[in-house]
Amino acid sequence: MTAAPPSLRAVGRHLPIATVLLVAVWPFALWLLSRSDPELAVRFESAVYHALRTLAFWLLAAVGVACIVFPPAWAGLRLFWSRLWRSLSNDQAPLRRAISELRHFESAARHAEVGRLARLRQRDDLARPHLERAVELDPTHAGSWYQLGLLQFHAGQSAVAAESFRRVEELDPGHAFGDALLLRGRALHALGDPEALALLVQHQRQHGGSPRSHVWLADAHLRAGDRDAANAALQLAAAPPRLRLTAEENWFRAWARVRCLGSRRTP
């Protein structure tokens, strides 16, 4: 359970725009069809609406059943909506202002700010050159390395992400409440590096944990062959939270609950 592939994230980013365009084009397409055959246009409109209503009914029924019998289904819907809403509701004015200020005076901090804001808008294509320029101008700025590492990690570039997070930890141990250490451990796990387990255990000892970190720690223990430690980590991830979880953390907790059930059935 890592970040969604870039192709899926791109689809999710462009789907709302494509939907709006289809809705806008629909009346015009019907008008063109009615010009040549009004009766065909009426039949076509009726057939499409009927198909959409039927599809919506069965889709809602399937989603409802899935949410009842499979906890990650509801958690996944919440996570999808959270990411979509964050992308659509994020104000673009700060990003435009940061780009404008950068034209007048170049600095590592300003490049890093443009990169950070572009990442929030899921504009990795815009964020990457600015973050790379930020660490080039000031290799001692932990925040720039952290933002670059996040971009690389979510793009599936585990090797360079692990190196970026290593630099973050060297410059500012415990950066981002331990997230740099956690993500470095996960990136190394994706590379099959046995050092990942030690880093994830270190993160748990120094920073506590969350459903996400406990699930990742369980994965590392399983790879090391310690099923008991993995089950203990999953139980921590699945435990009822004391505070309301974010959509992402709730997603990891839902999967931990399913995996706990599976581990109980495994002899």
Side-chain angles (χ1 to χ4, degrees), residues 17-255:
I17 299 175
T19 302
V20 171
L21 289 175
L22 285 174
V23 172
V25 168
W26 174 248
F28 182 69
L30 280 180
W31 177 77
L32 286 178
L33 185 59
S34 66
R35 298 268 296 180
S36 59
D37 190 339
E39 292 185 2
L40 177 60
V42 172
R43 291 197 302 271
F44 179 69
E45 180 183 21
S46 177
V48 169
Y49 283 153
H50 177 73
L52 288 176
R53 285 195 298 269
T54 303
L55 177 63
F57 171 80
W58 287 110
L59 182 61
L60 287 174
V63 169
V65 172
C67 289
I68 293 172
V69 302
F70 190 58
W74 175 250
L77 285 176
R78 180 185 166 192
L79 179 60
F80 173 78
W81 171 252
S82 174
R83 289 176 173 174
L84 180 62
W85 176 253
R86 184 173 56 200
S87 175
L88 295 177
S89 63
N90 216 315
D91 188 5
Q92 296 193 51
L95 176 59
R96 290 195 296 265
R97 184 166 56 250
I99 293 175
S100 176
E101 292 173 352
L102 187 58
R103 295 193 187 103
H104 300 291
F105 178 73
E106 183 185 39
S107 69
R110 288 186 173 181
H111 275 291
E113 181 65 5
V114 171
R116 184 185 71 84
L117 293 171
R119 276 198 61 256
L120 291 177
R121 294 288 306 174
Q122 298 186 17
R123 290 287 309 280
D124 290 0
D125 56 329
L126 175 61
R128 183 178 294 275
H130 287 285
L131 293 173
E132 290 175 346
R133 181 60 175 160
V135 298
E136 179 183 349
L137 290 172
D138 184 5
T140 66
H141 190 253
S144 300
W145 282 110
Y146 178 67
Q147 290 295 326
L148 180 59
L150 287 174
L151 186 149
Q152 294 163 339
F153 180 83
H154 290 294
Q157 299 171 322
S158 300
V160 288
E163 175 62 19
S164 295
F165 292 131
R166 183 191 66 79
R167 288 176 175 266
V168 175
E169 280 295 296
E170 284 184 351
L171 295 167
D172 181 21
H175 187 85
F177 304 101
D179 236 27
L181 178 63
L182 172 65
L183 292 170
R184 183 179 177 225
R186 183 61 176 183
L188 290 177
H189 177 81
L191 295 170
D193 191 324
E195 186 186 356
L197 176 57
L199 293 176
L200 293 170
V201 170
Q202 179 186 348
H203 174 271
Q204 184 183 37
R205 290 173 178 169
Q206 294 180 354
H207 304 283
S210 65
R212 176 180 60 162
S213 66
H214 290 314
V215 166
W216 287 352
L217 180 59
D219 291 341
H221 278 306
L222 278 176
R223 178 171 289 176
D226 193 341
R227 183 173 293 275
D228 290 339
N231 289 339
L234 286 175
Q235 288 170 10
L236 286 174
R242 289 178 294 179
L243 300 173
R244 179 177 171 82
L245 297 176
T246 65
E248 183 179 22
E249 294 292 351
N250 187 62
W251 161 259
F252 280 98
R253 178 175 178 259
W255 271 109

